[in-house]
Amino acid sequence: LAKTTQPISMDSYEGQEVNITCSHNNIATNDYITWYQQFPSQGPRFIIQGYKTKVTNEVASLFIPADRKSSTLSLPRVSLSDTAVYYCLVGDDNYGQNFVFGPGTRLSVLP
Amino acid sequence: GAGVSQSPRYKVAKRGQDVALRCDPISGHVSLFWYQQALGQGPEFLTYFQNEAQLDKSGLPSDRFFAERPEGSVSTLKIQRTQQEDSAVYLCASSLEMTNSPLHFGNGTRLTVT
């Protein structure tokens, strides 16, 4: 089971680009990398998922280097509403336990 | 369409009482997960269903915790003889299938045991 390491917290200002890096040194061949966002009093919400290289959707980009031992979630031009906890998950499709959340990164966007 | 629905939203129980938490997954979603989230922590895996089959219950903290999904849709998490350490938010998530499908979470049930 691949363990992930993320910064506990980050601060940013409105309009800046924010990059949150997750380390997963023992990622397995079949593992995908998935990021979730969680606001207070809500369940986590899927942001983006990738296997290698770069993935982009309407809210974020995910950069994965060739060795796949880390990944970086990039949020362009953050706003106050992006203040949340961001979780990086690594796992494959075999077992429920593979969907393991760490403590996440608490992002605070300041005006 | 409707998302994952959990009820009740809040539950206060006296120590020793039994509680039942309900999860209505998104229609057609095969996989269903229960997580426990303590204040300031990430969600911790409790159990996983594929349709009506409970394939993994290794995260259930004690035999006081029991989950079922008898018809492969609605699921109930039951906690018997609640203890103060059971106070947490209980999250339910569903997904189309197990193969790397994103999890869709409900907003959870906040359980407070007094």
Side-chain angles (χ1 to χ4, degrees), chain A residues 50-55 62-66 68:
Chain A
Y51 182 80
K52 62 180 180 180
T53 63
K54 176 183 175 182
V55 180
L62 179 60
F63 298 92
I64 305 169
R68 303 199 330 120

Side-chain angles (χ1 to χ4, degrees), chain B residues 5-85:
Chain B
S5 177
Q6 293 188 246
S7 60
R9 189 76 173 89
Y10 302 93
K11 177 68 178 178
V12 178
K14 292 186 177 180
R15 189 165 59 93
Q17 284 186 330
D18 297 349
V19 298
L21 312 180
R22 177 187 170 104
C23 172
D24 281 89
I26 294 173
S27 178
H29 277 196
V30 169
S31 300
L32 185 145
F33 301 79
W34 283 98
Y35 287 83
Q36 180 190 61
Q37 186 170 28
L39 190 63
Q41 305 295 317
E44 290 199 8
F45 171 83
L46 293 178
T47 187
Y48 158 64
F49 290 85
Q50 188 167 355
N51 295 307
E52 70 279 2
Q54 189 175 20
L55 299 186
D56 189 343
K57 55 181 180 179
S58 60
L60 295 176
S62 78
D63 59 7
R64 297 185 295 104
F65 287 70
F66 172 77
E68 59 183 6
R69 193 185 185 198
E71 297 179 357
S73 56
V74 172
S75 178
T76 303
L77 176 66
K78 297 179 180 178
I79 309 173
Q80 297 177 323
R81 305 180 303 283
T82 53
Q83 304 294 316
Q84 283 192 321
E85 62 263 28

